[in-house]
Amino acid sequence: MLIEFRVQNFKSINTEQTLNLVCSSSTRENFNQQNLISVDKFGIDSVLKSAAIFGPNGAGKTNFSSALSSMCTNVLSSLRHIDREYVLSTLPFVLKEDMYDIPTEQEVTFIKDGVLYRYGMAISDRIISEEWLYQTTSTRETLLFHRQGQALEYNNRSFSEAKNLVRKEGDGYVVLQTKPHIPFLSVVAQFDGDKSTSVVDWFRNLNIITGVNDDGVKEYSIDLYDSDSEFKSWALKVLSAMQIDDIEVVEREADFPLKSPDAIPELVEVTEKLQTFLRKNPVKQKALAISKDIGEQNFLLPIDIESDGTKRVIYFLGALYDTIKNNKILFVDEFDSKLHSLLSKFLINLYHAHSLGSSQLIVACHDTNLLSKDIFRRDQIWFVDKNLRHESELYSLLEYKEYYSRKDSSYNKDYLAGKYGAIPLFESSFEMDEVCRG
């Protein structure tokens, strides 16, 4: 489970920002206990099961999920490519004279297999300038390795898996088989190191998707509806409220829209041959069909004719089920996109009620109706806003102690009134007549 994520100098984020999921120790926050995961170790009582990040358009909410996604990609995919495309995709904050005045840093603290790990990397001028991994098994944090450039310090006893991947040089070591843009962690895991593999596996159980489209979960969810009867039964109970009686998986021809590049004669011929081949050898793909009962008649309808919101829920249930059942972490950007406010509430409450393990759900959204004690504790609510230097800043609702006591259970009135910041502010309105008429 994720304990903390820290990032600096990444896209709209300049100074260090931290998302902390350790629950508040204040007795004022002692409610919604089903929203917590008990730890009682490492000096941590409980960890938050979920968190919600609010803020106006352009504040930088997406960049927090992008920063975590970028780190995940560097760890999991960099070894498959000989160039530096993943490190290059780690874009620093550009609205300053020197983009690399401080390194781009990403660090995660998490619990995996009963061990507390802290892993991070720093990227300076397109190379990994620093990388570190620490562990805590009881109370004291222990260094596993610390890399600076190609130089390495490592713990011979606790991280012996690095032994064959370093070379003694002077008073220290240098890394072997590790390019400057490749995480040393990923290299060690390739050689089946126990602790490095455990850390890499944690990244594999981290899923980051966007609510704008369903490409990240669509195919996976279709396979679930097709092969997992337990999931399908659970999902249909949810979807019955949307007048969906059943879901069937059907096969249909995949659509490959190909346009002939008229300016290049050689490519025109290739495109035409490919189009002819696809007509003779159509590619089949799985799709969902919606079953609805009207009286004694049953109608099977292609999912494409359903609303974007309905399709969004149908596919999202697969990701939610996978997260709960396999104790994964799911970060959803634009969570409330295409969803009715009551449906957004329902899905969050559904997760809180059914997630009984160590899974976690983090959502970035705009729906202020989710700003309620009935759904989230104060320590689960975060805001993102930009300061006068156009830097994204992340802060918790806990920082506003003057609004601890409310007669009702909602924080959205105070939020919309601007008491917490992180709302769009319009200093002036345009004179429409002048704009339109010149």
Side-chain angles (χ1 to χ4, degrees), residues 310-321:
T310 298
K311 289 185 284 188
R312 168 107 168 83
V313 175
I314 290 171
Y315 294 135
F316 179 72
L317 287 176
L320 195 65
Y321 177 81

Side-chain angles (χ1 to χ4, degrees), residues 127-252:
I127 65 170
I128 297 176
S129 58
E130 192 174 2
E131 184 185 3
W132 56 91
L133 177 63
Y134 292 80
Q135 73 169 16
T136 304
T137 55
S138 55
T139 58
R140 192 180 70 176
E141 187 177 66
T142 302
L143 165 77
L144 294 182
F145 76 80
H146 189 174
R147 169 190 180 188
Q148 291 187 295
Q150 296 300 84
L152 188 81
E153 174 189 2
Y154 79 99
N155 191 316
N156 284 283
R157 186 163 60 95
S158 300
F159 201 66
S160 59
E161 57 203 74
K163 182 178 180 180
N164 295 325
L165 295 167
V166 298
R167 181 182 71 244
K168 184 73 174 175
E169 191 170 284
D171 295 331
Y173 297 89
V174 294
V175 296
L176 301 176
Q177 303 183 46
T178 305
K179 294 181 178 180
H181 63 283
I182 299 293
F184 182 64
L185 172 77
S186 305
V187 174
V188 180
Q190 286 287 308
F191 290 88
D192 300 322
D194 290 340
K195 290 173 181 171
S196 57
T197 298
S198 184
V199 174
V200 169
D201 282 344
W202 181 85
F203 281 100
R204 290 196 179 101
N205 283 322
L206 170 64
N207 294 316
I208 302 169
I209 62 175
T210 175
V212 175
N213 58 62
D214 305 294
D215 294 340
V217 296
K218 181 178 178 179
E219 300 302 325
Y220 177 80
S221 296
I222 291 174
D223 287 338
L224 270 182
Y225 283 106
D226 191 30
S227 62
D228 193 326
S229 59
E230 181 183 355
F231 161 70
K232 183 177 178 181
S233 176
W234 174 78
L236 287 176
K237 291 177 183 177
V238 177
L239 295 172
S240 63
M242 304 172 68
Q243 298 181 313
I244 294 175
D245 298 300
D246 198 3
I247 287 182
E248 294 186 18
V249 178
V250 297
E251 280 196 341
R252 66 183 184 186

Side-chain angles (χ1 to χ4, degrees), residues 69-130:
S69 178
S70 169
M71 185 181 191
C72 186
T73 300
N74 277 328
V75 170
L76 297 180
S77 302
S78 55
L79 285 174
R80 287 184 288 215
H81 295 262
I82 61 174
D83 58 20
R84 297 186 294 169
E85 66 176 273
Y86 289 117
V87 173
L88 291 174
S89 69
T90 308
L91 182 69
F93 184 77
V94 298
L95 298 178
K96 53 185 177 180
E97 187 173 345
D98 180 8
M99 292 188 297
Y100 300 104
D101 58 344
I102 56 174
T104 296
E105 285 192 8
Q106 300 146 308
E107 180 186 81
V108 287
T109 302
F110 58 90
I111 297 174
K112 178 77 164 63
D113 300 329
V115 178
L116 180 71
Y117 291 101
R118 181 166 64 90
Y119 172 72
M121 66 176 72
I123 297 174
S124 298
D125 199 15
R126 303 180 178 183
I127 65 170
I128 297 176
S129 58
E130 192 174 2

Side-chain angles (χ1 to χ4, degrees), residues 371 378 381-383 395-401 411 420:
L371 285 166
R378 288 170 53 88
I381 297 172
W382 294 76
F383 301 109
Y395 52 96
S396 169
L397 181 58
L398 286 177
E399 296 181 24
Y400 293 84
K401 297 180 180 179
Y411 298 111
Y420 309 136

Side-chain angles (χ1 to χ4, degrees), residues 184-433:
F184 182 64
L185 172 77
S186 305
V187 174
V188 180
Q190 286 287 308
F191 290 88
D192 300 322
D194 290 340
K195 290 173 181 171
S196 57
T197 298
S198 184
V199 174
V200 169
D201 282 344
W202 181 85
F203 281 100
R204 290 196 179 101
N205 283 322
L206 170 64
N207 294 316
I208 302 169
I209 62 175
T210 175
V212 175
N213 58 62
D214 305 294
D215 294 340
V217 296
K218 181 178 178 179
E219 300 302 325
Y220 177 80
S221 296
I222 291 174
D223 287 338
L224 270 182
Y225 283 106
D226 191 30
S227 62
D228 193 326
S229 59
E230 181 183 355
F231 161 70
K232 183 177 178 181
S233 176
W234 174 78
L236 287 176
K237 291 177 183 177
V238 177
L239 295 172
S240 63
M242 304 172 68
Q243 298 181 313
I244 294 175
D245 298 300
D246 198 3
I247 287 182
E248 294 186 18
V249 178
V250 297
E251 280 196 341
R252 66 183 184 186
E253 290 185 14
D255 184 28
F256 298 100
L258 297 173
K259 294 184 178 180
S260 299
D262 297 332
I264 308 176
E266 293 82 4
L267 291 181
V268 171
E269 183 179 354
V270 171
T271 303
E272 290 175 348
K273 287 182 178 179
L274 182 56
Q275 290 173 331
T276 301
F277 175 81
L278 289 174
R279 282 194 294 270
K280 293 180 179 179
N281 304 276
V283 177
K284 298 289 185 179
Q285 67 177 13
K286 291 181 180 179
L288 296 182
I290 309 301
S291 177
K292 296 188 178 185
D293 296 327
I294 301 179
E296 296 182 355
Q297 287 186 295
N298 175 266
F299 295 88
L300 193 63
L301 309 172
I303 193 172
D304 293 339
I305 71 171
E306 293 292 334
S307 69
D308 287 343
T310 298
K311 289 185 284 188
R312 168 107 168 83
V313 175
I314 290 171
Y315 294 135
F316 179 72
L317 287 176
L320 195 65
Y321 177 81
D322 176 52
T323 300
I324 294 172
K325 185 174 182 179
N326 297 306
N327 289 317
K328 294 184 178 181
I329 300 169
L330 179 62
F331 197 135
V332 188
D333 186 33
E334 301 287 353
F335 166 75
D336 49 345
S337 172
K338 308 173 186 175
L339 298 182
H340 187 280
S341 182
L342 290 178
L343 191 50
S344 297
K345 281 186 178 182
F346 174 78
L347 291 174
I348 295 293
N349 287 330
L350 183 73
Y351 171 76
H352 286 154
H354 289 273
S355 177
L356 304 178
S358 59
S359 71
Q360 289 171 296
L361 174 66
I362 304 168
V363 299
C365 52
H366 295 104
D367 189 351
T368 59
N369 290 298
L370 297 178
L371 285 166
S372 169
K373 289 181 180 179
D374 296 333
I375 305 172
F376 291 117
R377 297 156 49 101
R378 288 170 53 88
D379 50 3
Q380 292 177 279
I381 297 172
W382 294 76
F383 301 109
V384 175
D385 205 359
K386 280 186 176 177
N387 59 27
L388 296 177
R389 297 180 298 277
H390 300 279
E391 302 167 343
S392 294
E393 296 180 327
L394 179 71
Y395 52 96
S396 169
L397 181 58
L398 286 177
E399 296 181 24
Y400 293 84
K401 297 180 180 179
E402 63 269 33
Y403 301 113
Y404 259 121
S405 299
R406 288 196 55 88
K407 294 180 180 179
D408 57 33
S409 63
S410 176
Y411 298 111
N412 66 349
K413 293 179 182 178
D414 288 340
Y415 173 64
L416 292 175
K419 293 181 179 180
Y420 309 136
I423 60 172
L425 298 176
F426 306 101
E427 296 181 359
S428 62
S429 59
F430 293 100
E431 293 292 339
M432 184 60 74
D433 285 345

